[in-house]
Amino acid sequence: MAGLTEWVFLVLSATQFFLGMLGNGFIGVVNGSGWFKSKRISLSDFITTNLALSRIALLWILMSDAVILVFFPKAHDEGVIMQVIDIFWAFTNHLSIWLATCLGVFYCLKITSFSHPTFLWLKWRVNSVVVWMLLAALLLSCGSAVSLIHNFKVYSALCGIDGTGNVTEHCRKLTNEYQVTHVLGTLWNLPPLIMCLASYIVLILSLGRHGRRMQHNSASSSDASTEAHKRATKMMLSFLFLFLLYFLAFLITTSSYFLPGTKMTQMIGELITMIYPASHSFVFILGNSKLKQTFVEMLWCESGRLKSGSKRPFSP
């Protein structure tokens, strides 16, 4: 029977799940409908759409994991269910992180301006660079899932969880080895994390330098271009904060086997983990002119529909 803490955890998880589905679903529908109508899509919209889809899948996995953690804690800690969730979580998590990294690199190369030859070479070939990064992201995401599948097969065969249910000392050692391997699997996140940090920092520095140059050359500090660059800098800082928070929460969740209060640690880690895929979509909507305009128009239409409906006389 779930206690008060578990029910609070479920309510908060369901709230973040609902908001995340709304935000990411909105991005997917807007970009997807534009792609369907014009038969073409920009590289940035393509990455953003796939990022939204990967986060929808990630939110479903996190929500399913939360339900199993509360109502079936024993099945969550051992057996096939835990392994399957880990495999799908590993794939969608790494794919989502790599897509966000590709988007950060794309914006970095498109917006920033440096005179270094290597940077100019990358800037001239930005589309090719990002496409190759997307292919590498897909392969690495598959690799992370395949590595867990291999460990799962060895663990299942030697422990006999398929039917015997016998738990031996050797099985316990294998379980510990599997858990250590699972924790070390977070190292797969380091390359995209480093690349994403580097891209965001370079972009923020470039935008800040451009904003200072515009303020120096303009008589008014409220120049439209300067204000636009300030908004872009704030948006990138929010991206960076959410990304670091997500990485920390993911590390806590995967290391919960070795921390006191395993179940509580897992619940706290998963709640923090869901913040990134749920809230990042709304930050992106507010920072993207096309998505923001569509979102505002949708709200105005809905508001107008409700007002007109409220003025209709009641008829049975």
Side-chain angles (χ1 to χ4, degrees), residues 142-163:
C142 292
S144 65
V146 168
S147 65
L148 280 180
I149 292 175
H150 174 72
N151 292 333
F152 170 51
K153 287 182 178 179
V154 174
Y155 172 78
S156 301
L158 294 179
C159 288
I161 63 174
D162 294 326

Side-chain angles (χ1 to χ4, degrees), residues 131-151:
V131 168
W132 279 107
M133 283 186 64
L134 289 173
L135 293 175
L138 183 60
L139 291 176
L140 290 172
S141 300
C142 292
S144 65
V146 168
S147 65
L148 280 180
I149 292 175
H150 174 72
N151 292 333

Side-chain angles (χ1 to χ4, degrees), residues 11 13 30 39 95 109 117-118 120 141 148 151 169 171:
V11 170
S13 298
V30 172
K39 307 300 180 184
L95 185 61
L109 294 176
T118 303
L120 292 176
S141 300
L148 280 180
N151 292 333
E169 186 64 27
C171 179

Side-chain angles (χ1 to χ4, degrees), residues 178-199:
Y178 174 82
Q179 292 171 351
V180 171
T181 304
H182 188 60
V183 173
L184 292 178
T186 56
L187 296 177
W188 285 85
N189 296 325
L190 284 181
L193 176 64
I194 294 172
M195 292 179 64
C196 196
L197 284 174
S199 300

Side-chain angles (χ1 to χ4, degrees), residues 110-310:
K110 276 288 187 179
I111 297 176
T112 56
S113 57
F114 292 100
S115 58
H116 194 277
T118 303
F119 184 86
L120 292 176
W121 185 87
L122 292 173
K123 189 177 181 69
W124 293 334
R125 297 164 177 81
V126 57
N127 288 345
S128 299
V129 170
V130 174
V131 168
W132 279 107
M133 283 186 64
L134 289 173
L135 293 175
L138 183 60
L139 291 176
L140 290 172
S141 300
C142 292
S144 65
V146 168
S147 65
L148 280 180
I149 292 175
H150 174 72
N151 292 333
F152 170 51
K153 287 182 178 179
V154 174
Y155 172 78
S156 301
L158 294 179
C159 288
I161 63 174
D162 294 326
T164 62
N166 295 325
V167 180
T168 63
E169 186 64 27
H170 184 55
C171 179
R172 291 191 183 92
K173 291 181 180 179
L174 289 174
T175 303
N176 291 333
E177 290 178 7
Y178 174 82
Q179 292 171 351
V180 171
T181 304
H182 188 60
V183 173
L184 292 178
T186 56
L187 296 177
W188 285 85
N189 296 325
L190 284 181
L193 176 64
I194 294 172
M195 292 179 64
C196 196
L197 284 174
S199 300
Y200 285 176
I201 290 173
V202 169
L203 182 57
I204 290 170
L205 291 176
S206 177
L207 291 176
R209 186 181 65 174
H210 182 80
R212 288 193 298 270
R213 188 187 303 121
M214 292 296 296
Q215 284 183 345
H216 180 74
N217 296 333
S218 176
S220 174
S221 60
S222 59
D223 180 80
S225 178
T226 303
E227 293 300 322
H229 279 80
K230 287 182 178 179
R231 288 195 300 270
T233 304
K234 292 178 181 178
M235 187 177 70
M236 296 311 299
L237 284 173
S238 65
F239 284 0
L240 186 58
F241 171 76
L242 289 173
F243 192 89
L244 291 174
L245 184 65
Y246 175 77
F247 182 78
L248 178 61
F250 183 76
L251 185 62
I252 293 173
T253 304
T254 52
S255 304
S256 60
Y257 304 112
F258 311 104
L259 297 175
T262 301
K263 187 174 181 179
M264 181 61 68
T265 304
Q266 287 178 335
M267 289 192 295
I268 294 174
E270 287 197 19
L271 282 177
I272 301 175
T273 300
M274 293 182 75
I275 293 176
Y276 179 61
S279 60
H280 195 186
S281 57
F282 291 98
V283 175
F284 193 84
I285 290 171
L286 294 175
N288 185 283
S289 57
K290 181 182 73 173
L291 293 173
K292 184 178 180 180
Q293 181 179 358
T294 306
F295 187 73
V296 171
E297 290 175 355
M298 184 185 70
L299 290 180
W300 274 109
C301 290
E302 184 66 20
S303 176
R305 187 184 68 83
L306 292 175
K307 288 181 179 179
S308 62
S310 63

